[in-house]
Amino acid sequence: AGQSPLSQPAGLMQWEVTGSDRTAYELRGVGDNGHSMALTRVGPPPATGAFGATAAVVDAAPYRGHSARLRVQLRADSATTGASSWLRIDGNGEQLALANNMGNPLQGTTAWTEQVTVLDVPINATRIIFGTILAGSGTIHARDVTLDAFDRAPEWRTDRVGRSSPFYEVVDVADAGRALTLRRMEGGTLMDNEFGTATAFVGADSMRARRVTVRAIVKTRDASAATLWVRADGS
C-alpha cells in the first residue's frame, strides 16, 4: 500500500489545549511551523484521572477512503502518570474512531521516542483531530509531528503450502497491516520443502500494464529461508 501525496497538513499547525482539566495545562514552545511544541502542568496537583491534551484539526476530505498515520517524536519530563500521542476521526458531529498510546505511555523523564498511530478514515469523515496527552503532572515535548495518508492496507491470511494442517500463523500485525510476523507454530512434523506464506490481496485495476514493486524491511529468526513474493492473477 503506497503513500499518497498528503505527507502532512499544509501550512502552520494551529494547536489548542483540551482535556478534562484544560485550565491547569499550558501550551509552550510552539515552533517549526507548528510541528513541535510542549504541554506542561501549571496548576495545583491534579486530581485522579485529570489530564490535558494538545489538539490540531485538519479537514478529513482528502484522507477519506485512506488510512491516516500520525507520527510524532515525544519526550517526557517528570511525567507522573503518563503521556502519549492520540488520533481521532469525526464525522457528522460524531466520533467515528479514536486511538492513543496510553496503553504504553511515556512516564518519568525519557529520551525522544517515536510513536505511530494509524486509523482508517471512513468516507463520511469530516475532520481529523490529533495531538498529545499528558495525564497527571510533568511536561510532554513533541517534535516532527506529521500526518500521512496511505491506501488502506489489506487483510492478511496464512497459507501452508502442500499440507493439510495450518502450522503457520500471522501475528503481531501493526501499523494498519504494514508490519507483521509470520511464524511456524509448535507441533506437527516439519516436512521437506514445507513453507508457509503471509498473503494479502489487492485490486489490480490501478496497476494494469504497469510494473509492481513490493518493498519491505525483513528480519528473520531461526529461519531456514525467507523471502518476499508477489503474484498477478487474472480471470
Side-chain angles (χ1 to χ4, degrees):
Q3 184 177 2
S4 84
L6 300 171
S7 58
Q8 62 186 36
L12 176 67
M13 280 195 201
Q14 300 285 352
W15 294 98
E16 64 179 35
V17 178
T18 183
S20 66
D21 195 12
R22 68 185 69 183
T23 59
Y25 291 87
E26 185 175 279
L27 181 65
R28 296 178 175 177
V30 178
D32 189 22
N33 209 29
H35 295 272
S36 64
M37 45 81 187
L39 180 70
T40 191
R41 174 89 186 186
V42 294
T48 301
F51 71 94
T54 60
V57 182
V58 298
D59 184 4
Y63 296 83
R64 291 172 187 156
H66 298 275
S67 293
R69 180 181 66 178
L70 174 66
R71 280 181 180 270
V72 58
Q73 295 278 336
L74 296 178
R75 179 172 64 84
D77 283 338
S78 303
T80 58
T81 304
S84 84
S85 55
W86 67 284
L87 177 65
R88 195 178 86 195
I89 313 295
D90 288 356
N92 301 322
E94 298 180 341
Q95 177 180 297
L96 303 179
L98 173 66
N100 61 52
N101 293 286
M102 289 302 280
N104 184 30
L106 300 184
Q107 293 180 304
T109 299
T110 72
W112 286 105
T113 302
E114 183 180 63
Q115 286 192 347
V116 179
T117 311
V118 180
L119 287 174
D120 288 341
V121 182
I123 58 173
N124 63 330
T126 56
R127 64 178 187 168
I128 300 175
I129 310 169
F130 54 93
T132 59
I133 306 170
L134 176 63
S137 296
T139 301
I140 180 67
H141 302 268
R143 69 183 184 187
D144 301 334
V145 181
T146 61
L147 189 68
D148 299 324
F150 287 85
D151 296 333
R152 286 186 178 177
E155 296 291 330
W156 290 94
R157 79 177 194 192
T158 305
D159 292 315
R160 182 172 186 249
V161 176
R163 300 288 180 263
S164 59
S165 300
F167 289 132
Y168 292 84
E169 63 178 345
V170 172
V171 297
D172 299 331
V173 179
D175 198 8
R178 294 170 187 86
L180 69 147
T181 297
L182 174 67
R183 71 183 182 190
R184 192 182 193 282
M185 297 179 287
E186 296 182 0
T189 301
L190 183 63
M191 308 296 290
D192 291 341
N193 300 320
E194 175 187 306
F195 66 93
T197 66
T199 305
F201 296 86
V202 297
D205 289 350
S206 63
M207 304 181 195
R208 289 176 182 155
R210 303 173 65 185
R211 178 168 298 199
V212 175
T213 301
V214 177
R215 294 186 178 94
I217 298 172
V218 178
K219 181 177 72 172
T220 61
R221 187 180 68 184
D222 301 328
S224 301
T227 188
L228 298 175
W229 68 285
V230 61
R231 189 180 77 201
D233 289 348
S235 56

